[in-house]
Amino acid sequence: MTTTATTFTPTTLYAIGQNVPGYLPMADEPYLCTTFDDAKRALIAEMDRSADHAAECDNIALADAIDAATLAVNLWSSPDSTIVTDPEREHDLGISYWIVAVDRADIDADTLAELDI
């Protein structure tokens, strides 16, 4: 993954999401957080739900892969992404989980108001 320098300012928000690589995000609106730590906690919670769902569907290998990725996300110190693939599916594209920095000026005012940001 190529990283570019990002300047973080008081107007920086953090968006979390997930998607199949090459496809649009699974949510229509980004989930926005005001701090990186909040974004990381929210992404970890989302990944925990995904792991629980996989376990409920008796896909223990995928649940374990998501759990391992969750531990790695917990160590992130800045926006990043990870792709988790199902070890039992040969051609699985996986799911990308990510946190990106977003400038508040790039978010629609109505969306900010709805989110009380």
Side-chain angles (χ1 to χ4, degrees), residues 91-103:
H91 299 290
D92 185 34
L93 294 175
I95 300 289
S96 176
Y97 295 93
W98 41 266
I99 300 174
V100 295
V102 180
D103 192 295

Side-chain angles (χ1 to χ4, degrees), residues 6-90:
T6 302
T7 303
F8 301 105
T9 68
T11 64
T12 300
L13 297 173
Y14 299 89
I16 69 161
Q18 60 182 313
N19 66 293
V20 174
Y23 293 86
L24 293 172
M26 294 175 176
D28 290 334
E29 296 293 328
Y31 186 88
L32 296 171
C33 300
T34 56
T35 69
F36 177 73
D37 286 337
D38 287 346
K40 190 164 63 168
R41 278 190 289 277
L43 183 61
I44 288 170
E46 185 63 35
M47 293 173 76
D48 283 340
R49 282 189 291 278
S50 295
D52 289 347
H53 178 72
E56 289 170 4
C57 293
D58 291 327
N59 191 340
I60 303 306
L62 177 58
D64 290 345
I66 296 170
D67 284 338
T70 301
L71 294 174
V73 169
N74 193 45
L75 300 175
W76 291 355
S77 59
S78 62
D80 207 339
S81 65
T82 187
I83 297 175
V84 180
T85 58
D86 184 342
E88 294 181 351
R89 292 181 57 199
E90 185 176 345

Side-chain angles (χ1 to χ4, degrees), residues 29 108-117:
E29 296 293 328
D108 179 81
D110 291 336
T111 300
L112 292 174
E114 287 175 16
L115 298 171
D116 197 29
I117 294 179

